Short mmCIF file of all heavy atoms in Angstrom, two decimals:
data_model
loop_
_atom_site.label_atom_id
_atom_site.label_comp_id
_atom_site.label_asym_id
_atom_site.label_seq_id
_atom_site.Cartn_x
_atom_site.Cartn_y
_atom_site.Cartn_z
N MET A 252 -21.06 -5.16 -17.60
CA MET A 252 -19.80 -4.60 -17.14
C MET A 252 -18.87 -4.40 -18.32
O MET A 252 -18.98 -5.13 -19.32
CB MET A 252 -19.16 -5.60 -16.15
CG MET A 252 -19.85 -5.77 -14.84
SD MET A 252 -18.81 -6.86 -13.89
CE MET A 252 -19.72 -6.70 -12.37
N THR A 253 -17.99 -3.50 -18.20
CA THR A 253 -16.99 -3.25 -19.17
C THR A 253 -15.62 -3.27 -18.54
O THR A 253 -15.50 -3.14 -17.25
CB THR A 253 -17.22 -1.97 -19.92
OG1 THR A 253 -17.11 -0.90 -18.97
CG2 THR A 253 -18.55 -1.93 -20.60
N ALA A 254 -14.58 -3.28 -19.33
CA ALA A 254 -13.20 -3.14 -18.79
C ALA A 254 -12.34 -2.42 -19.84
O ALA A 254 -12.69 -2.51 -21.05
CB ALA A 254 -12.64 -4.57 -18.56
N THR A 255 -11.40 -1.72 -19.40
CA THR A 255 -10.54 -0.98 -20.24
C THR A 255 -9.48 -1.90 -20.85
O THR A 255 -9.31 -2.98 -20.39
CB THR A 255 -9.78 0.18 -19.54
OG1 THR A 255 -8.89 -0.47 -18.58
CG2 THR A 255 -10.82 1.13 -18.87
N ASP A 256 -8.82 -1.49 -21.96
CA ASP A 256 -7.74 -2.29 -22.53
C ASP A 256 -6.65 -2.55 -21.43
O ASP A 256 -6.09 -3.69 -21.42
CB ASP A 256 -7.19 -1.62 -23.75
CG ASP A 256 -8.04 -1.55 -24.94
OD1 ASP A 256 -9.09 -2.37 -24.94
OD2 ASP A 256 -7.84 -0.78 -25.88
N ASP A 257 -6.31 -1.56 -20.71
CA ASP A 257 -5.26 -1.69 -19.68
C ASP A 257 -5.70 -2.79 -18.65
O ASP A 257 -4.87 -3.57 -18.21
CB ASP A 257 -5.02 -0.38 -19.01
CG ASP A 257 -4.23 0.60 -19.94
OD1 ASP A 257 -3.55 0.15 -20.92
OD2 ASP A 257 -4.24 1.79 -19.60
N GLU A 258 -6.98 -2.74 -18.28
CA GLU A 258 -7.48 -3.80 -17.34
C GLU A 258 -7.39 -5.20 -17.87
O GLU A 258 -7.00 -6.16 -17.20
CB GLU A 258 -8.87 -3.49 -16.85
CG GLU A 258 -9.03 -2.34 -15.95
CD GLU A 258 -10.43 -1.91 -15.72
OE1 GLU A 258 -11.33 -1.98 -16.65
OE2 GLU A 258 -10.73 -1.53 -14.53
N LEU A 259 -7.63 -5.32 -19.22
CA LEU A 259 -7.55 -6.60 -19.88
C LEU A 259 -6.07 -7.13 -19.96
O LEU A 259 -5.79 -8.24 -19.67
CB LEU A 259 -8.09 -6.56 -21.31
CG LEU A 259 -9.57 -6.23 -21.42
CD1 LEU A 259 -9.91 -6.15 -22.90
CD2 LEU A 259 -10.39 -7.29 -20.71
N ILE A 260 -5.21 -6.22 -20.18
CA ILE A 260 -3.79 -6.54 -20.25
C ILE A 260 -3.27 -7.02 -18.91
O ILE A 260 -2.54 -7.97 -18.69
CB ILE A 260 -2.88 -5.38 -20.79
CG1 ILE A 260 -3.26 -5.22 -22.27
CG2 ILE A 260 -1.39 -5.64 -20.59
CD1 ILE A 260 -2.66 -3.90 -22.89
N VAL A 261 -3.65 -6.27 -17.83
CA VAL A 261 -3.28 -6.67 -16.50
C VAL A 261 -3.85 -8.11 -16.16
O VAL A 261 -3.26 -8.87 -15.51
CB VAL A 261 -3.79 -5.61 -15.41
CG1 VAL A 261 -3.72 -6.13 -14.01
CG2 VAL A 261 -2.99 -4.28 -15.58
N GLY A 262 -5.10 -8.35 -16.58
CA GLY A 262 -5.68 -9.62 -16.33
C GLY A 262 -4.87 -10.77 -17.09
O GLY A 262 -4.62 -11.82 -16.46
N VAL A 263 -4.53 -10.55 -18.31
CA VAL A 263 -3.66 -11.48 -19.09
C VAL A 263 -2.35 -11.73 -18.34
O VAL A 263 -1.96 -12.89 -18.19
CB VAL A 263 -3.42 -11.04 -20.55
CG1 VAL A 263 -2.38 -11.87 -21.25
CG2 VAL A 263 -4.75 -11.03 -21.27
N ARG A 264 -1.80 -10.62 -17.91
CA ARG A 264 -0.44 -10.73 -17.24
C ARG A 264 -0.58 -11.46 -15.93
O ARG A 264 0.22 -12.35 -15.63
CB ARG A 264 0.09 -9.30 -16.98
CG ARG A 264 1.44 -9.36 -16.36
CD ARG A 264 1.99 -7.89 -16.05
NE ARG A 264 1.93 -7.04 -17.19
CZ ARG A 264 1.36 -5.85 -17.20
NH1 ARG A 264 0.83 -5.31 -16.16
NH2 ARG A 264 1.36 -5.11 -18.33
N ASP A 265 -1.62 -11.21 -15.16
CA ASP A 265 -1.81 -11.86 -13.86
C ASP A 265 -2.05 -13.34 -14.06
O ASP A 265 -1.54 -14.17 -13.31
CB ASP A 265 -3.10 -11.32 -13.06
CG ASP A 265 -2.76 -9.91 -12.51
OD1 ASP A 265 -1.57 -9.46 -12.55
OD2 ASP A 265 -3.71 -9.28 -12.02
N PHE A 266 -2.82 -13.74 -15.03
CA PHE A 266 -3.01 -15.14 -15.28
C PHE A 266 -1.79 -15.83 -15.65
O PHE A 266 -1.39 -16.98 -15.28
CB PHE A 266 -4.11 -15.42 -16.33
CG PHE A 266 -5.48 -15.44 -15.77
CD1 PHE A 266 -6.29 -14.29 -15.56
CD2 PHE A 266 -6.04 -16.68 -15.35
CE1 PHE A 266 -7.50 -14.36 -15.00
CE2 PHE A 266 -7.32 -16.71 -14.78
CZ PHE A 266 -8.03 -15.59 -14.59
N ALA A 267 -0.96 -15.17 -16.55
CA ALA A 267 0.24 -15.77 -17.04
C ALA A 267 1.29 -15.87 -15.95
O ALA A 267 1.97 -16.93 -15.76
CB ALA A 267 0.89 -14.95 -18.18
N LEU A 268 1.50 -14.87 -15.14
CA LEU A 268 2.49 -14.87 -14.10
C LEU A 268 2.13 -15.62 -12.86
O LEU A 268 2.98 -16.23 -12.18
CB LEU A 268 2.94 -13.48 -13.74
CG LEU A 268 3.54 -12.68 -14.92
CD1 LEU A 268 3.85 -11.24 -14.48
CD2 LEU A 268 4.76 -13.34 -15.48
N THR A 269 0.87 -15.60 -12.44
CA THR A 269 0.41 -16.18 -11.22
C THR A 269 -0.05 -17.60 -11.38
O THR A 269 0.38 -18.44 -10.64
CB THR A 269 -0.76 -15.36 -10.59
OG1 THR A 269 -0.29 -14.03 -10.44
CG2 THR A 269 -1.16 -15.91 -9.25
N LEU A 270 -0.83 -17.89 -12.40
CA LEU A 270 -1.36 -19.20 -12.61
C LEU A 270 -0.70 -19.97 -13.78
O LEU A 270 -1.10 -21.18 -13.94
CB LEU A 270 -2.83 -19.07 -12.93
CG LEU A 270 -3.70 -18.41 -11.82
CD1 LEU A 270 -5.21 -18.23 -12.31
CD2 LEU A 270 -3.66 -19.26 -10.57
N LYS A 271 0.21 -19.34 -14.42
CA LYS A 271 0.88 -19.94 -15.58
C LYS A 271 -0.09 -20.41 -16.69
O LYS A 271 0.03 -21.44 -17.28
CB LYS A 271 1.75 -21.17 -15.12
CG LYS A 271 2.70 -20.92 -13.99
CD LYS A 271 3.68 -19.77 -14.29
CE LYS A 271 4.69 -19.65 -13.14
NZ LYS A 271 4.84 -18.30 -12.63
N ALA A 272 -1.16 -19.61 -16.80
CA ALA A 272 -2.19 -19.90 -17.77
C ALA A 272 -2.18 -18.83 -18.86
O ALA A 272 -2.06 -17.62 -18.62
CB ALA A 272 -3.53 -19.89 -17.06
N VAL A 273 -2.24 -19.29 -20.08
CA VAL A 273 -2.29 -18.34 -21.26
C VAL A 273 -3.70 -18.07 -21.67
O VAL A 273 -4.44 -19.10 -22.00
CB VAL A 273 -1.48 -18.88 -22.48
CG1 VAL A 273 -1.61 -18.05 -23.67
CG2 VAL A 273 -0.03 -19.11 -22.06
N ILE A 274 -4.18 -16.87 -21.53
CA ILE A 274 -5.60 -16.51 -21.98
C ILE A 274 -5.41 -15.31 -22.94
O ILE A 274 -4.53 -14.52 -22.81
CB ILE A 274 -6.50 -16.24 -20.81
CG1 ILE A 274 -5.96 -15.03 -19.93
CG2 ILE A 274 -6.62 -17.50 -19.93
CD1 ILE A 274 -6.95 -14.65 -18.96
N GLU A 275 -6.40 -15.15 -23.77
CA GLU A 275 -6.45 -14.00 -24.63
C GLU A 275 -7.16 -12.86 -23.87
O GLU A 275 -7.85 -13.08 -22.89
CB GLU A 275 -7.16 -14.34 -25.98
CG GLU A 275 -8.62 -14.75 -25.71
CD GLU A 275 -9.23 -15.39 -27.00
OE1 GLU A 275 -8.69 -16.36 -27.53
OE2 GLU A 275 -10.22 -14.86 -27.43
N PRO A 276 -6.96 -11.60 -24.36
CA PRO A 276 -7.52 -10.48 -23.68
C PRO A 276 -9.02 -10.55 -23.47
O PRO A 276 -9.51 -10.22 -22.39
CB PRO A 276 -7.10 -9.29 -24.55
CG PRO A 276 -5.88 -9.73 -25.14
CD PRO A 276 -6.04 -11.17 -25.43
N THR A 277 -9.74 -10.99 -24.45
CA THR A 277 -11.23 -11.11 -24.30
C THR A 277 -11.61 -12.18 -23.36
O THR A 277 -12.63 -12.12 -22.63
CB THR A 277 -12.00 -11.35 -25.63
OG1 THR A 277 -11.43 -12.46 -26.26
CG2 THR A 277 -11.88 -10.13 -26.53
N GLY A 278 -10.70 -13.18 -23.12
CA GLY A 278 -10.96 -14.19 -22.10
C GLY A 278 -10.76 -13.65 -20.74
O GLY A 278 -11.27 -14.21 -19.78
N ALA A 279 -10.03 -12.57 -20.61
CA ALA A 279 -9.83 -11.91 -19.32
C ALA A 279 -10.90 -10.89 -19.01
O ALA A 279 -10.81 -10.24 -17.92
CB ALA A 279 -8.42 -11.27 -19.27
N LEU A 280 -11.75 -10.65 -19.86
CA LEU A 280 -12.76 -9.55 -19.76
C LEU A 280 -13.61 -9.75 -18.41
O LEU A 280 -13.69 -8.79 -17.67
CB LEU A 280 -13.71 -9.54 -20.95
CG LEU A 280 -14.72 -8.46 -20.94
CD1 LEU A 280 -14.16 -7.06 -20.85
CD2 LEU A 280 -15.67 -8.50 -22.19
N GLY A 281 -14.23 -10.85 -18.25
CA GLY A 281 -15.01 -11.11 -17.05
C GLY A 281 -14.15 -10.91 -15.73
O GLY A 281 -14.65 -10.32 -14.77
N PHE A 282 -12.97 -11.47 -15.80
CA PHE A 282 -12.09 -11.33 -14.62
C PHE A 282 -11.77 -9.89 -14.39
O PHE A 282 -11.78 -9.40 -13.25
CB PHE A 282 -10.77 -12.09 -14.91
CG PHE A 282 -9.72 -11.87 -13.86
CD1 PHE A 282 -9.83 -12.37 -12.63
CD2 PHE A 282 -8.58 -11.10 -14.17
CE1 PHE A 282 -8.82 -12.13 -11.67
CE2 PHE A 282 -7.63 -10.88 -13.28
CZ PHE A 282 -7.70 -11.45 -12.02
N ALA A 283 -11.39 -9.07 -15.42
CA ALA A 283 -11.02 -7.68 -15.20
C ALA A 283 -12.12 -6.90 -14.64
O ALA A 283 -11.96 -6.05 -13.75
CB ALA A 283 -10.55 -7.12 -16.58
N ALA A 284 -13.33 -7.11 -15.19
CA ALA A 284 -14.55 -6.32 -14.71
C ALA A 284 -14.81 -6.72 -13.27
O ALA A 284 -15.15 -5.87 -12.46
CB ALA A 284 -15.68 -6.51 -15.69
N ALA A 285 -14.93 -8.04 -13.00
CA ALA A 285 -15.24 -8.51 -11.66
C ALA A 285 -14.20 -8.08 -10.63
O ALA A 285 -14.55 -7.74 -9.54
CB ALA A 285 -15.41 -10.01 -11.65
N ARG A 286 -12.99 -8.09 -11.04
CA ARG A 286 -11.90 -7.61 -10.11
C ARG A 286 -12.16 -6.19 -9.64
O ARG A 286 -11.99 -5.84 -8.53
CB ARG A 286 -10.60 -7.79 -10.80
CG ARG A 286 -9.42 -7.43 -9.99
CD ARG A 286 -8.17 -7.62 -10.86
NE ARG A 286 -7.01 -7.64 -9.98
CZ ARG A 286 -5.82 -7.87 -10.40
NH1 ARG A 286 -5.60 -8.12 -11.65
NH2 ARG A 286 -4.77 -7.82 -9.60
N ARG A 287 -12.46 -5.38 -10.62
CA ARG A 287 -12.69 -3.92 -10.30
C ARG A 287 -13.91 -3.71 -9.47
O ARG A 287 -13.95 -3.05 -8.50
CB ARG A 287 -12.73 -3.10 -11.62
CG ARG A 287 -12.92 -1.64 -11.36
CD ARG A 287 -13.14 -0.84 -12.59
NE ARG A 287 -14.47 -1.20 -13.12
CZ ARG A 287 -14.62 -1.73 -14.39
NH1 ARG A 287 -13.52 -1.96 -15.14
NH2 ARG A 287 -15.74 -2.10 -14.81
N GLU A 288 -14.99 -4.37 -9.82
CA GLU A 288 -16.27 -4.23 -9.17
C GLU A 288 -16.32 -4.83 -7.71
O GLU A 288 -16.89 -4.32 -6.85
CB GLU A 288 -17.40 -4.77 -10.01
CG GLU A 288 -17.56 -4.12 -11.30
CD GLU A 288 -18.05 -2.67 -11.21
OE1 GLU A 288 -18.89 -2.29 -10.34
OE2 GLU A 288 -17.58 -1.86 -11.99
N ALA A 289 -15.63 -5.97 -7.54
CA ALA A 289 -15.65 -6.66 -6.29
C ALA A 289 -14.53 -6.32 -5.34
O ALA A 289 -14.55 -6.77 -4.17
CB ALA A 289 -15.74 -8.25 -6.58
N ALA A 290 -13.60 -5.56 -5.81
CA ALA A 290 -12.40 -5.23 -5.00
C ALA A 290 -12.82 -4.61 -3.65
O ALA A 290 -13.54 -3.68 -3.58
CB ALA A 290 -11.51 -4.26 -5.69
N GLY A 291 -12.38 -5.21 -2.58
CA GLY A 291 -12.62 -4.71 -1.29
C GLY A 291 -14.01 -5.03 -0.70
O GLY A 291 -14.30 -4.61 0.44
N SER A 292 -14.83 -5.74 -1.50
CA SER A 292 -16.20 -5.99 -1.07
C SER A 292 -16.31 -7.16 -0.15
O SER A 292 -17.33 -7.32 0.53
CB SER A 292 -17.16 -6.15 -2.30
OG SER A 292 -16.84 -7.43 -2.89
N GLY A 293 -15.31 -8.08 -0.20
CA GLY A 293 -15.35 -9.25 0.62
C GLY A 293 -16.22 -10.32 0.02
O GLY A 293 -16.46 -11.42 0.57
N LEU A 294 -16.71 -10.10 -1.21
CA LEU A 294 -17.56 -11.04 -1.93
C LEU A 294 -16.74 -12.15 -2.60
O LEU A 294 -15.62 -11.88 -3.02
CB LEU A 294 -18.45 -10.40 -2.98
CG LEU A 294 -19.36 -9.34 -2.50
CD1 LEU A 294 -20.07 -8.61 -3.73
CD2 LEU A 294 -20.50 -9.98 -1.65
N ARG A 295 -17.32 -13.28 -2.71
CA ARG A 295 -16.64 -14.39 -3.47
C ARG A 295 -17.29 -14.29 -4.85
O ARG A 295 -18.52 -14.24 -5.01
CB ARG A 295 -16.97 -15.73 -2.89
CG ARG A 295 -16.18 -16.05 -1.62
CD ARG A 295 -16.48 -17.36 -1.12
NE ARG A 295 -15.64 -17.64 0.10
CZ ARG A 295 -15.11 -18.76 0.34
NH1 ARG A 295 -15.26 -19.80 -0.47
NH2 ARG A 295 -14.37 -18.88 1.39
N VAL A 296 -16.45 -14.30 -5.86
CA VAL A 296 -16.88 -14.08 -7.25
C VAL A 296 -16.35 -15.23 -8.14
O VAL A 296 -15.10 -15.46 -8.01
CB VAL A 296 -16.48 -12.67 -7.75
CG1 VAL A 296 -16.92 -12.56 -9.23
CG2 VAL A 296 -17.03 -11.64 -6.98
N GLY A 297 -17.14 -15.84 -8.90
CA GLY A 297 -16.73 -16.78 -9.83
C GLY A 297 -16.74 -16.25 -11.26
O GLY A 297 -17.69 -15.64 -11.59
N VAL A 298 -15.73 -16.56 -12.03
CA VAL A 298 -15.65 -16.02 -13.40
C VAL A 298 -15.15 -17.15 -14.30
O VAL A 298 -14.23 -17.83 -14.00
CB VAL A 298 -14.67 -14.81 -13.46
CG1 VAL A 298 -14.51 -14.38 -14.95
CG2 VAL A 298 -15.07 -13.70 -12.55
N ILE A 299 -15.82 -17.24 -15.49
CA ILE A 299 -15.37 -18.27 -16.47
C ILE A 299 -14.30 -17.55 -17.36
O ILE A 299 -14.57 -16.46 -17.90
CB ILE A 299 -16.51 -18.73 -17.34
CG1 ILE A 299 -17.55 -19.53 -16.44
CG2 ILE A 299 -16.03 -19.56 -18.47
CD1 ILE A 299 -18.76 -19.95 -17.11
N VAL A 300 -13.15 -18.23 -17.51
CA VAL A 300 -12.06 -17.63 -18.22
C VAL A 300 -11.79 -18.56 -19.40
O VAL A 300 -11.67 -19.81 -19.18
CB VAL A 300 -10.84 -17.41 -17.33
CG1 VAL A 300 -9.68 -16.91 -18.19
CG2 VAL A 300 -11.07 -16.52 -16.16
N SER A 301 -11.67 -18.09 -20.60
CA SER A 301 -11.51 -18.94 -21.75
C SER A 301 -10.61 -18.31 -22.79
O SER A 301 -10.29 -17.16 -22.71
CB SER A 301 -12.84 -19.31 -22.34
OG SER A 301 -13.39 -18.10 -22.93
N GLY A 302 -10.21 -19.09 -23.73
CA GLY A 302 -9.44 -18.60 -24.84
C GLY A 302 -7.95 -18.50 -24.68
O GLY A 302 -7.51 -17.77 -23.81
N GLY A 303 -7.23 -19.23 -25.40
CA GLY A 303 -5.75 -19.12 -25.39
C GLY A 303 -5.19 -18.68 -26.76
O GLY A 303 -4.03 -18.83 -27.05
N ASN A 304 -6.13 -18.02 -27.55
CA ASN A 304 -5.71 -17.59 -28.87
C ASN A 304 -5.04 -16.27 -28.85
O ASN A 304 -5.71 -15.22 -29.11
CB ASN A 304 -6.93 -17.66 -29.84
CG ASN A 304 -6.60 -17.32 -31.23
OD1 ASN A 304 -5.49 -17.59 -31.59
ND2 ASN A 304 -7.57 -16.91 -32.03
N ILE A 305 -3.84 -16.13 -28.45
CA ILE A 305 -3.10 -14.86 -28.40
C ILE A 305 -1.78 -15.04 -29.09
O ILE A 305 -1.11 -16.06 -28.94
CB ILE A 305 -2.97 -14.45 -26.98
CG1 ILE A 305 -2.33 -13.04 -26.88
CG2 ILE A 305 -2.21 -15.39 -26.17
CD1 ILE A 305 -2.34 -12.41 -25.49
N ASP A 306 -1.38 -14.07 -29.87
CA ASP A 306 -0.04 -14.07 -30.53
C ASP A 306 1.05 -14.07 -29.51
O ASP A 306 0.98 -13.22 -28.57
CB ASP A 306 -0.04 -12.76 -31.44
CG ASP A 306 1.29 -12.71 -32.15
OD1 ASP A 306 1.55 -13.58 -33.05
OD2 ASP A 306 2.16 -11.87 -31.85
N PRO A 307 2.02 -14.95 -29.68
CA PRO A 307 3.12 -15.10 -28.70
C PRO A 307 3.81 -13.72 -28.52
O PRO A 307 4.28 -13.43 -27.45
CB PRO A 307 4.01 -16.21 -29.21
CG PRO A 307 3.06 -17.03 -30.06
CD PRO A 307 2.05 -16.08 -30.67
N THR A 308 4.02 -13.06 -29.59
CA THR A 308 4.73 -11.76 -29.51
C THR A 308 3.99 -10.75 -28.69
O THR A 308 4.64 -10.03 -27.90
CB THR A 308 4.97 -11.21 -30.96
OG1 THR A 308 5.72 -12.22 -31.73
CG2 THR A 308 5.85 -9.93 -30.92
N ARG A 309 2.67 -10.69 -28.86
CA ARG A 309 1.89 -9.79 -28.14
C ARG A 309 1.81 -10.20 -26.67
O ARG A 309 1.91 -9.31 -25.79
CB ARG A 309 0.40 -9.72 -28.67
CG ARG A 309 -0.45 -8.79 -27.93
CD ARG A 309 -1.70 -8.52 -28.67
NE ARG A 309 -1.33 -7.66 -29.80
CZ ARG A 309 -2.21 -7.22 -30.70
NH1 ARG A 309 -3.50 -7.45 -30.45
NH2 ARG A 309 -1.87 -6.50 -31.69
N LEU A 310 1.71 -11.50 -26.41
CA LEU A 310 1.74 -11.96 -25.04
C LEU A 310 3.09 -11.47 -24.30
O LEU A 310 3.08 -11.04 -23.22
CB LEU A 310 1.53 -13.49 -24.92
CG LEU A 310 1.71 -14.06 -23.54
CD1 LEU A 310 0.62 -13.50 -22.59
CD2 LEU A 310 1.63 -15.58 -23.60
N ALA A 311 4.20 -11.73 -25.03
CA ALA A 311 5.50 -11.27 -24.52
C ALA A 311 5.54 -9.84 -24.13
O ALA A 311 6.05 -9.44 -23.11
CB ALA A 311 6.59 -11.63 -25.45
N ALA A 312 4.92 -9.03 -25.04
CA ALA A 312 4.89 -7.51 -24.78
C ALA A 312 4.09 -7.22 -23.54
O ALA A 312 4.45 -6.35 -22.77
CB ALA A 312 4.34 -6.88 -26.02
N TYR A 313 2.95 -7.96 -23.37
CA TYR A 313 2.13 -7.78 -22.18
C TYR A 313 2.84 -8.13 -20.89
O TYR A 313 2.59 -7.61 -19.78
CB TYR A 313 0.89 -8.56 -22.24
CG TYR A 313 -0.10 -8.14 -23.29
CD1 TYR A 313 -1.21 -8.91 -23.62
CD2 TYR A 313 -0.03 -6.95 -23.99
CE1 TYR A 313 -2.14 -8.57 -24.60
CE2 TYR A 313 -0.92 -6.51 -24.94
CZ TYR A 313 -2.01 -7.41 -25.21
OH TYR A 313 -2.84 -7.02 -26.19
N LEU A 314 3.81 -9.02 -20.96
CA LEU A 314 4.49 -9.53 -19.71
C LEU A 314 5.64 -8.61 -19.34
O LEU A 314 6.28 -8.81 -18.31
CB LEU A 314 5.03 -10.91 -19.98
CG LEU A 314 3.88 -11.98 -20.23
CD1 LEU A 314 4.54 -13.35 -20.44
CD2 LEU A 314 2.92 -12.00 -19.08
N GLN A 315 5.98 -7.64 -20.13
CA GLN A 315 7.10 -6.72 -19.82
C GLN A 315 6.65 -5.65 -18.86
O GLN A 315 5.60 -5.18 -18.75
CB GLN A 315 7.65 -6.13 -21.05
CG GLN A 315 8.37 -7.20 -21.86
CD GLN A 315 9.00 -6.66 -23.11
OE1 GLN A 315 9.34 -5.42 -23.16
NE2 GLN A 315 9.22 -7.45 -24.14
#
């Protein structure tokens, strides 16, 4: 599976705003791809999310 840069940014933003978790864009890769592929399917999907190595300035830009 692949994900676009925009999908990764949305994943980072969703984790930060919804779960109050800081993850780096590549940490959101599995989530972004699974979200797109499983949307509306009714399937339960588990994804491992990792990595909090993100520049605070870049994270702030993603949250705007």
Side-chain angles (χ1 to χ4, degrees):
M252 292 184 173
T253 61
T255 66
D256 288 345
D257 289 338
E258 289 173 320
L259 296 178
I260 291 168
V261 169
V263 169
R264 183 182 307 127
D265 286 351
F266 272 89
L268 297 178
T269 304
L270 301 175
K271 309 302 185 231
V273 176
I274 61 170
E275 60 192 58
T277 54
L280 180 60
F282 170 73
R286 180 182 196 175
R287 183 187 63 243
E288 296 295 322
S292 69
L294 298 173
R295 289 181 177 221
V296 177
V298 177
I299 296 173
V300 178
S301 65
N304 186 23
I305 185 170
D306 179 68
T308 305
R309 181 166 289 183
L310 177 61
Y313 291 167
L314 298 178
Q315 294 182 22

